[in-house]
Amino acid sequence: MSLKHSYTLIAPFYDALVGGASLKARAESLSRLPREGQSKVLLNGIGTGLDLPHLIPGHTYFATDLTAAMLGRARGRNPGITIRFVRADSLCLPFADGSFDHAVLHLIVAVVPDPVRCLSETARVLKPGGSVLILDKFLRPGQAAPLRRALNLLSRHIATRLDVVFEDVLTRVPGLRLESDQPVLAGGWFRSIRLVKA
Ligand SMILES: C[S@@+](CC[C@H](N)C(=O)[O-])C[C@H]1O[C@@H](n2cnc3c(N)ncnc32)[C@H](O)[C@@H]1O
């Protein structure tokens, strides 16, 4: 089963499964977008749109996702902001280099099969000085996590990878500087990370 198929099945239940647990962490992450000005912001892998109620008006948002059923639910929300929904693969974004001022990657870097490509595609479409807000679950360098690595053999095909070491991903994407990295959920398994493009 591909991720697109499994997220089509998960879509009706996604908000009940993820919404409450992630509410505070996603609100805090999105509060780091600038409060002033008119930026162009990429919401990469928007899912059902749980981020939308937390977005600051005034910016122009482009929300992408691979799964029509997830994107359809996001489209159905009425967030009162300027937003365009685009069905697109995070590993091959249909935007020109340097198109965006900021990018939001909530629960997508560790979901896709190739996190390095997901982050490097995001970096490509960002302007110099642009920021990336990441919220996701990552292992620490050298962390054994045998249960998560065992579960990953199945979960990577139906929902998410559980074996991604963020430091290994960042090392392979030149041009992104780590600005902050905070533990937010599940004893630090989930982290809120801010990067800036040089
Ligand atoms: C765990 S959900 C996260 C959704 C949302 N960002 C959130 O924070 O709730 C992962 C999302 O990634 C999407 N997805 C999976 N693979 C993708 C890909 N290659 N490109 C774009 N979206 C993808 C799925 O359809 C799903 O909506």
Side-chain angles (χ1 to χ4, degrees):
M1 182 186 280
S2 71
L3 283 180
K4 196 162 56 174
H5 288 120
S6 56
Y7 275 103
T8 300
L9 297 175
I10 292 168
F13 316 105
Y14 184 82
D15 291 3
L17 292 171
V18 175
S22 63
L23 180 71
K24 187 165 174 270
R26 72 175 69 241
E28 279 173 9
S29 172
L30 294 167
S31 71
R32 297 170 174 190
L33 287 173
R35 306 208 76 79
E36 311 279 321
Q38 297 185 320
S39 298
K40 205 168 152 191
V41 182
L42 172 65
L43 307 167
N44 194 344
I46 188 64
T48 58
L50 289 173
D51 285 341
L52 301 185
H54 307 286
L55 295 174
I56 294 158
H59 304 312
T60 299
Y61 296 94
F62 284 72
T64 62
D65 203 282
L66 189 62
T67 310
M70 296 292 276
L71 201 57
R73 286 177 179 263
R75 268 200 189 98
R77 295 182 194 262
N78 182 7
I81 52 175
T82 305
I83 187 163
R84 242 186 81 193
F85 295 93
V86 182
R87 186 140 171 239
D89 188 341
S90 295
L91 307 183
C92 187
L93 291 169
F95 304 111
D97 296 1
S99 298
F100 294 93
D101 300 292
H102 306 284
V104 176
L105 294 169
H106 283 179
L107 307 180
I108 184 73
V109 176
V111 165
V112 293
D114 188 343
V116 171
R117 189 153 160 207
C118 176
L119 192 55
S120 53
E121 265 298 90
T122 301
R124 178 185 69 73
V125 302
L126 263 190
K127 294 176 186 168
S131 71
V132 186
L133 301 175
I134 296 175
L135 172 64
D136 221 320
K137 60 216 152 319
F138 297 109
L139 298 183
R140 302 274 172 185
Q143 188 176 358
L147 181 60
R148 274 174 264 176
R149 290 185 192 275
L151 289 172
N152 177 60
L153 298 174
L154 176 65
S155 73
R156 66 184 301 150
H157 299 296
I158 58 173
T160 184
R161 287 182 59 170
L162 299 172
D163 64 339
V164 179
V165 177
F166 179 70
E167 287 76 0
D168 293 350
V169 175
L170 186 59
T171 307
R172 292 177 58 196
V173 184
L176 289 178
R177 188 180 71 244
L178 182 67
E179 284 279 304
S180 66
D181 180 354
Q182 297 161 350
V184 287
L185 279 173
W189 183 25
F190 286 78
R191 290 149 66 180
S192 179
I193 295 166
R194 185 171 185 271
L195 309 173
V196 172
K197 181 171 172 174

